[in-house]
Amino acid sequence: MANAYVVCDSDREINNAFEGARGIQICHFHAVKYVDYCLWKEDAPKNFRKKIRRILKSRLSTLQNSVKKFWRDKDTERLKNRISWFREELDRWVERAEGRDFALAANYIRRVREKLLTFAEAALRGDYVPYTNNKVEREFRGNVYRTKRIGGSWSDDGLLNVSLCQFISRLDEGLFREFKEVYIDEAGTLNFSVSLPGG
């Protein structure tokens, strides 16, 4: 686990479970949503919520674009400068939230600041880490929806196998082609059986 990066939301249990990981990347989309929730919970005016959320999204987007540029041109100094700029901008963001007495949102960003830029620091080490886990969540949401629709449920082995297939398909296309030869027939459909409840 010490060599693995984890991309997740801010759930404390998940973060604690992967404390020994090489790095934890908090999903940018989840972070913005959670900030919005914090501000709503603290009764922040709607216009202020929109403005401060927009500023946070803008800073995150700028960092994302800088990392994309880095993968093209390998300009290490520019990315290091962008990481420093990002930290300063988040400190300003926290001050602005605290200045309006929105401590919940400010404390959250202060707590996760470094975990919002894990993907950028990993890039400097030559490691690719995504800044969001939304794609994976969407895939699993689709699987869960289709399974529930037919009244099925996941077995532990089934969930592990589908997770592994999705993981490998994203990381190693050659290995996934080998998987397909074993698990998927020529029509491109997964070979599996489903036991309906009570049947």
Side-chain angles (χ1 to χ4, degrees):
M1 174 144 77
N3 292 325
Y5 290 95
V6 178
V7 185
C8 59
D9 60 25
S10 307
D11 185 277
R12 282 180 198 263
E13 286 80 13
I14 293 174
N15 279 253
N16 290 342
F18 290 102
E19 214 172 84
R22 187 167 187 185
I24 296 176
Q25 171 64 47
I26 299 292
C27 170
H28 287 183
F29 298 112
H30 282 91
V32 172
K33 280 185 182 177
Y34 190 71
V35 161
D36 196 42
Y37 166 75
C38 290
L39 292 167
W40 169 81
K41 195 171 180 186
E42 294 178 300
D43 293 322
K46 189 174 181 180
N47 285 343
F48 180 77
R49 265 179 35 217
K50 282 172 72 173
K51 180 180 179 181
I52 203 154
R53 189 178 63 223
R54 183 175 35 81
I55 291 169
L56 179 60
K57 282 171 80 171
S58 168
R59 301 310 180 259
L60 291 168
S61 180
T62 300
L63 185 62
Q64 293 160 19
N65 289 333
S66 294
V67 172
K68 283 178 193 169
K69 283 180 189 169
F70 171 79
W71 285 117
R72 288 194 303 267
D73 62 24
K74 304 291 188 201
D75 187 340
T76 303
E77 285 309 307
R78 186 178 64 214
L79 183 55
K80 283 180 180 176
N81 289 338
R82 184 61 79 194
I83 289 170
S84 296
W85 168 87
F86 181 77
R87 285 186 174 111
E88 290 168 8
E89 287 297 310
L90 281 196
D91 287 344
R92 277 195 272 280
W93 190 96
V94 166
E95 286 172 15
R96 181 176 285 163
E98 282 179 334
R100 296 285 298 266
D101 293 324
F102 299 123
L104 195 60
N107 289 337
Y108 168 72
I109 289 297
R110 185 182 288 115
R111 191 175 73 245
V112 301
R113 181 183 81 164
E114 293 303 307
K115 292 178 180 178
L116 290 172
L117 52 80
T118 299
F119 80 113
E121 294 192 318
L124 290 173
R125 292 190 288 271
D127 297 329
Y128 172 75
V129 176
Y131 61 84
T132 179
N133 62 353
N134 271 10
K135 184 178 179 185
V136 177
E137 284 194 346
R138 275 197 305 274
E139 288 172 356
F140 273 98
R141 204 174 296 126
N143 289 337
V144 169
Y145 170 75
R146 286 191 286 278
T147 305
K148 283 186 175 178
R149 208 171 76 199
I150 61 171
S153 62
W154 288 106
S155 68
D156 290 346
D157 287 342
L159 183 58
L160 180 63
N161 287 338
V162 170
S163 303
L164 188 59
C165 281
Q166 288 182 322
F167 183 66
I168 290 171
S169 72
R170 223 174 285 106
L171 296 180
D172 190 333
E173 289 180 20
L175 183 57
F176 185 64
R177 276 194 293 276
E178 292 175 27
F179 259 65
K180 282 169 67 174
E181 289 174 15
V182 176
Y183 291 111
I184 301 177
D185 67 19
E186 290 176 10
T189 57
L190 193 64
N191 294 315
F192 67 97
S193 62
V194 175
S195 301
L196 296 176

